[in-house]
Amino acid sequence: MIAEIDDSDQLSNSNSDGHKSNSFDVVVVGGGPAGAAVGVFTARYGLDTLIFDRGNSSLQRCAFLENFLGFPAGIDIETFYALMHDHAMEMGCAVRSSLVETVERADSGGFRVTTQGGDTVDTVRVVAATRYGGEYLHELDEANEMFETHRKGGDKRELFDRDYPDHDGRTPTDGLYIASPTASVELQALSSAGHGARVARAVVEDVRRERGFPEGLSGYRDWIRREGHSPNTESLRDKLRVKIDRDVPDDTDLSAESLAELREREIDRRLDRYLSADEIQRRTERSHDRLLEHIDDDRILAAAREIRAQRRSN
Ligand SMILES: Cc1cc2nc3c(=O)[nH]c(=O)nc-3n(C[C@H](O)[C@H](O)[C@H](O)COP(=O)(O)OP(=O)(O)OC[C@H]3O[C@@H](n4cnc5c(N)ncnc54)[C@H](O)[C@@H]3O)c2cc1C
């Protein structure tokens, strides 16, 4: 069911998680609430995403989670982790249980990420999502801006400067984003996950800009809509064309052909996100079945016996 890859596994070609190479669009360091949320959003956009997760964790120190939205009686940490990682993998992420030791600039201009076991992967972008630590980023800190020295008693400690990233997680180091820790939002798991989603949107928007999407078209929202609320596809396509043409500034550098091509590509993407009533029903059933996979079989059987008894007595 949950197929995370252990540290001892090779990080190169034909991994058992299905990835055929050891280079990724995005590597996320840390698979807690912030990092798992990043992965869900970047993978859903189609970015080849790898999450490394091992080591010091804030969430693992929590006894039981009672204030994450959607779990009326709370949720135990083990099940919560399994759900987060299963979600990230279902969306297309690879998740590996390895400790990242260093992130360095690669000759390609991206990054080379090395694990404690000595394996390496290359990536275009890195998102740091480790509530504690950050030493693995030292090699990137050429301008000495990422860490600050804290003194406690006679001890001196270097801690990651939480003001290094901006509000969307972007940093002065091109291609490096920080989802955790940050100055303001890491105190609760729910806000950490929310911030991860925000940082992921910044990543996706930067990718879209790099792919040529102009201002007004580079923005990104991951929404799914009901088909019933839309007119037929052709008139919806026309409406979207008008909207996009209005949003894109007149002084864009793109030729009319390039702009039309990007616009139609974006319209295709948005139209794919309309679901029929049947499809919503199919996804609803599947989503409930997938949730059951995370619930103890004995609890399911006990609930089933109760339901059967109730139905017989009605
Ligand atoms: C004692 C305690 C109780 C808490 N109770 C609650 C509570 O009841 N409710 C609540 O909302 N919040 C609670 N919190 C806060 C909550 O845990 C954090 O807000 C949240 O977990 C932060 O999420 P994160 O993803 O930023 O960091 P983390 O949860 O710390 O996740 C970071 C992940 O990165 C991994 N990692 C670290 N370094 C590396 C590395 N070098 N390479 C690869 N992976 C790495 C870790 O294994 C970890 O899984 C509690 C915190 C503590 C300490």
Side-chain angles (χ1 to χ4, degrees), residues 91-127:
M91 295 300 119
C93 293
V95 180
R96 294 191 188 146
S97 175
S98 309
L99 189 85
V100 168
E101 222 161 53
T102 55
V103 178
E104 301 158 276
R105 272 286 172 208
D107 295 341
S108 59
F111 301 94
R112 173 148 294 186
V113 180
T114 306
T115 70
Q116 192 178 40
D119 293 310
T120 58
V121 295
D122 289 336
T123 178
V124 183
R125 290 180 167 77
V126 168
V127 184

Side-chain angles (χ1 to χ4, degrees), residues 29-35 52-68 81 98-101 129-132 136 179-181 185-193:
V29 188
F52 284 113
D53 189 48
R54 179 168 266 186
N56 207 354
S57 149
S58 171
L59 195 64
Q60 297 285 6
R61 294 168 63 193
C62 170
F64 192 81
L65 194 55
E66 292 193 332
N67 49 9
F68 201 95
Y81 256 96
S98 309
L99 189 85
V100 168
E101 222 161 53
T130 52
R131 167 81 177 75
Y132 303 123
Y136 57 91
S180 171
V185 292
E186 81 285 355
L187 291 178
Q188 300 290 163
L190 185 56
S191 47
S192 303

Side-chain angles (χ1 to χ4, degrees), residues 224-230 270-283:
I224 299 181
R225 297 166 191 262
R226 292 171 193 274
E227 220 167 48
H229 289 175
S230 72
R270 293 190 195 177
L271 289 178
D272 267 355
R273 297 295 183 95
Y274 280 81
L275 300 187
S276 67
D278 285 350
E279 180 58 17
I280 293 169
Q281 181 58 26
R282 193 191 68 76
R283 291 189 189 194

Side-chain angles (χ1 to χ4, degrees), residues 157-210:
R157 276 178 74 196
E158 262 213 324
L159 294 177
F160 185 79
D161 178 0
R162 292 162 180 218
D163 290 319
Y164 185 67
D166 72 9
H167 195 46
D168 294 321
R170 293 186 179 93
T171 72
T173 305
D174 200 27
L176 173 69
Y177 302 76
I178 310 287
S180 171
T182 59
S184 54
V185 292
E186 81 285 355
L187 291 178
Q188 300 290 163
L190 185 56
S191 47
S192 303
H195 189 63
R198 183 186 189 102
V199 174
R201 284 188 61 229
V203 172
V204 171
E205 289 182 9
D206 290 351
V207 167
R208 284 164 69 80
R209 262 186 226 112
E210 222 174 80

